[in-house]
Amino acid sequence: MTSLLASAAASPAAAALTLTDLLRITGEYADEVRSGRRAGPAEWPRTERWAARLESTAEVDVWLISWVPDRSTELHDHAGSLGALTVVSGALREWSWRGTRLRTRRIDAGARAAFPLGWVHDVARHPAAVDGAVDSGLAPTLSVHAYSPPLTAMSYYEITAGHLRRTRSEATVTPER
Ligand SMILES: [Fe+2]
């Protein structure tokens, strides 16, 4: 299957892509998944969040993630990586830290969201999500995520007395764990 990253990777200064690049890339891959040109697994895990890498270059990693009820990511950042997502089917709920409080938003199928450096958020399947059909079977809520440079670490946070506090950092290449 041809890569959708050719135009971005051809940029001579593509040490890291921009949020605009990442939004476009996730939208293009989401279209491929939705149309069936890029297939997920035959059996979707029903009880755990699941991720598969769709593309990997020196500049960007692209992942397909499935979401199940009652499994949020915890508050986290993406270390030195920019990120973006497009929801393929169902809907996500995001809580993001805005300096003094958490702000929540619903991200429906087809909608995109960008995560600049320093973005701290928690993501989960929206409880009102209606899962769409992928291929012939019902799928969990699905989203395509892209990170540039590719994810290497995530830090986790808690809110204590109204303040955001980092609790731990982990090396990882797997997003939204
Ligand atoms: Fe995230």
Side-chain angles (χ1 to χ4, degrees), residues 92-94 98 103-107 112-115 119:
L92 296 178
R93 172 182 279 174
E94 180 199 47
R98 299 302 178 89
R103 181 174 168 184
T104 185
R105 62 173 162 172
R106 174 174 171 164
I107 310 170
R112 305 174 184 187
F115 316 128
W119 192 262

Side-chain angles (χ1 to χ4, degrees), residues 18 24 35 40 53-55 58 65 72 75 79 82 92 95 108 110 119 125 135 142 144 146 162 168 176:
T18 66
R24 175 183 55 77
S35 68
R53 188 157 26 204
L54 298 177
E55 286 280 356
I65 300 178
S72 73
L75 278 172
L82 304 176
L92 296 178
W95 298 263
D108 286 307
W119 192 262
R125 179 187 189 276
D135 296 328
L142 298 176
V144 171
R168 70 187 191 280
E176 315 300 329

Side-chain angles (χ1 to χ4, degrees), residues 64-153:
L64 176 62
I65 300 178
S66 72
W67 303 82
V68 295
D70 304 319
R71 292 286 188 277
S72 73
T73 60
E74 300 182 53
L75 278 172
H76 66 274
D77 66 22
H78 312 101
S81 299
L82 304 176
L85 69 81
T86 296
V87 176
V88 177
S89 58
L92 296 178
R93 172 182 279 174
E94 180 199 47
W95 298 263
S96 57
W97 181 252
R98 299 302 178 89
T100 57
R101 64 185 178 89
L102 284 176
R103 181 174 168 184
T104 185
R105 62 173 162 172
R106 174 174 171 164
I107 310 170
D108 286 307
R112 305 174 184 187
F115 316 128
L117 287 180
W119 192 262
V120 174
H121 70 169
D122 187 1
V123 182
R125 179 187 189 276
H126 196 285
V130 177
D131 293 328
V134 173
D135 296 328
S136 58
L138 289 176
T141 289
L142 298 176
S143 54
V144 171
H145 297 233
Y147 303 87
S148 181
L151 195 68
T152 58

